[in-house]
Each structure stands twice: as structure tokens, then as C-alpha cells.
Amino acid sequence: MTKKPILKLIETSVDPYASRGASTYAGQIIAKIREALFQGKLKEGDFLGSEKDLAAQFGVSRVTARDAYRTLEAMGIIEIRVGAGGGARIAAGNPDKFGDALAIQLCLIGATEAEIMDVQIILEERAAELAAKNRTKKDIKEIAALLAETKESSGDPVKFMALNHMFHLKIAEAAKNRVMDAQLKALHFVLWPNQSQNVTQDMADKVLAVHEDIFEAIKAGDGAGAKSAMSAHLSRIAHSNPMANPMAKKSLSRSSQEELVKFCC
């Protein structure tokens, strides 16, 4: 039995006088489906039907319907399946897509390291505080294992830096706030320094000590302590990072790079 499209829940008229052309009509269809999604009329898994169904429902050509579906798919709103029982359905939520899109847009608008770092500090302070409140036994176990692996990798700069990056993202995950998690992933992708070649054992020891302090506060459920430790940690990074200065040059001296890596994780 073929599943019937749920398009009847959507206002399906297009304004022929707004402008002419398939792309304009497609834009109206996209706007109506977006509006229905935000109004709660559509939810994950709802079946919208084939291009033929969409075209018939809105009174447009299949070319217009195809353009609308392609755009909605690119936006992550729908997924399209082919074959028997195929057609368009409202997609499952994927915060990583939001993070990727935000990272790209921050890059395109030319957001500075200073602007991004300001927001990162605010979000990570709150993430640490929430993690102390909302962390599960599984979160504690995973963060502890991550720190242990990081300690063992101190002789491998590339792996060490990657694991320390994961530490920050794991805390965001433990905060149990999906919006914050997605935003931090985007900010880390844009800003995270890649100076692993300069990591020394002394630097690695300092980084681990700071991270262990943050972890112990989270483990103890000490939100204020976790927030304070993260705040001090990130503020030191910002103050040590010449790239977080809006007037900074894009090139760093080796000594500046080494100073940054001391506190970068």
C-alpha cells in the first residue's frame, strides 16, 4: 500500500503574480514547507511524495517541483529516496550539518579570531558548568579514558593535539545542550590552532594538568568550579594568542606559535 503524501497539511497555493519563472515558484514552495516545519505541521519522517505529487499539489510543473526538492534536500530539510516507495520525506535532525554550515559562513563573512574566541569562551564556560550538572556515568567514563589516552600520546604531537581537541568537544556533549554542542563544533573547526609540531613534554604536562582540574570539577558536580577552571584556561589561551587580537598579523613567529601551544588545549 502506497503511503499518501502529507502535503494536505500545507497551504499549497503559489502566487502567480509575485514573479514569473520556475525558480520563483520553487522558492514559494520551499518557503511554505519551511513554514509548516516551524509551525509543527511537519515532523521527521513525514512523507511529502514524489515530484509528480508535489507538482500536482501546488499546480506547478515537475521542473519546478524538482528544483524545490533539490533545494530542500541541500538545506537538509528533506531526504529523497528512489525506487519503490520512494519520494521525499522530512529528514532526521543532524546538528553536525548546522555546525558545518555555521563554520562555512563564519569563514565567508571573514569573522576574526578575536570575535570567534569571545563567543567560544562564553559557550565553553557554560558548557563546563552544565556538564557538571548533566554529565552521566558514561560521560565521566569516556572523558577519563580520553584523558588517559591523551597522557599516553604526549610523545605524538599530532595525536596529542587531536585528543585535546576532543576533550573540549566531549565536555560540550556532556552538557546535554544540542544547540551549544553544534555551535562549539563549528567554532572549534574554524579557530582551533594547528601547531602540533611545537608541543613539548613540558607543554603537554601543563595542558594535561589544566584539563584534569576541569574534569575533576565536572566529575564532582561542581558547576562553579568547572566554569571557573574553564574560564581561566580559555582566557589564558586568548591572552597568549596573538591571532585573537583583531589587529594581529596573519603570520606568526615561531616563538609566538610556541607560546600559544603552551595553553592551546
Side-chain angles (χ1 to χ4, degrees):
M1 181 177 175
T2 303
K3 189 174 182 180
K4 293 184 179 180
I6 201 169
L7 290 169
K8 63 182 180 179
L9 297 178
I10 306 172
E11 199 282 301
T12 55
S13 64
V14 292
D15 182 359
Y17 301 105
S19 182
R20 296 175 183 244
S23 61
T24 299
Y25 291 154
Q28 291 183 51
I29 294 170
I30 292 164
K32 290 179 185 298
I33 291 176
R34 278 169 48 102
E35 182 179 0
L37 181 66
F38 290 130
Q39 290 176 344
K41 295 178 180 179
L42 294 174
K43 62 182 185 302
E44 177 186 338
D46 281 345
F47 183 58
L48 300 183
S50 64
E51 291 175 3
K52 182 179 178 181
D53 295 325
L54 189 72
Q57 193 73 26
F58 280 91
V60 297
S61 70
R62 289 188 64 172
V63 171
T64 297
R66 186 177 303 119
D67 285 345
Y69 269 172
R70 284 176 176 172
T71 301
L72 287 165
E73 185 179 31
M75 294 168 69
I77 294 175
I78 65 171
E79 57 182 13
I80 299 174
R81 301 175 187 173
V82 297
R89 288 172 172 77
I90 298 298
N94 185 347
D96 288 341
K97 289 186 177 180
F98 164 76
D100 289 343
L102 178 58
I104 290 169
Q105 292 305 316
L106 288 173
C107 182
L108 290 175
I109 68 172
T112 67
E113 287 87 348
E115 290 174 309
I116 296 172
M117 194 69 186
D118 284 343
V119 176
Q120 183 178 337
I121 290 173
I122 294 170
L123 289 176
E124 291 215 47
E125 286 178 359
R126 181 60 173 158
E129 184 177 28
L130 286 176
K133 175 183 177 182
N134 299 327
R135 80 284 186 270
T136 63
K137 291 181 179 179
K138 182 174 180 288
D139 291 324
I140 294 299
K141 184 177 180 180
E142 290 179 352
I143 297 174
L146 190 59
L147 283 173
E149 186 179 1
T150 304
K151 187 178 296 185
E152 293 175 358
S153 70
S154 59
D156 182 343
V158 174
K159 184 177 181 180
F160 180 82
M161 293 291 283
L163 290 171
N164 278 293
H165 186 183
M166 289 173 62
F167 172 82
H168 283 259
L169 296 182
K170 182 59 188 174
I171 289 176
E173 183 181 327
K176 303 295 184 283
N177 184 310
R178 291 170 294 179
V179 176
M180 182 179 293
D181 188 22
Q183 288 179 310
L184 281 172
K185 284 179 179 176
L187 296 180
H188 272 257
F189 185 81
V190 175
L191 186 61
W192 197 259
N194 182 24
Q195 306 295 341
S196 58
Q197 71 273 17
N198 296 318
V199 177
T200 66
Q201 187 60 53
D202 181 58
M203 295 173 189
D205 291 342
K206 290 178 179 178
V207 167
L208 281 168
V210 173
H211 281 197
E212 286 174 354
D213 286 345
I214 296 170
F215 170 62
E216 288 301 326
I218 291 173
K219 182 179 178 181
D222 180 5
K227 179 180 180 180
S228 177
M230 182 65 81
S231 177
H233 177 41
L234 294 176
S235 294
R236 196 168 190 182
I237 295 173
H239 294 153
S240 301
N241 184 2
M243 296 302 287
N245 183 330
M247 303 303 292
K249 296 180 180 179
K250 289 294 179 182
S251 59
L252 294 175
S253 67
R254 182 173 180 81
S255 60
S256 295
Q257 291 175 347
E258 291 174 348
E259 184 65 20
L260 169 58
V261 175
K262 289 181 183 179
F263 309 108
C264 69
C265 304

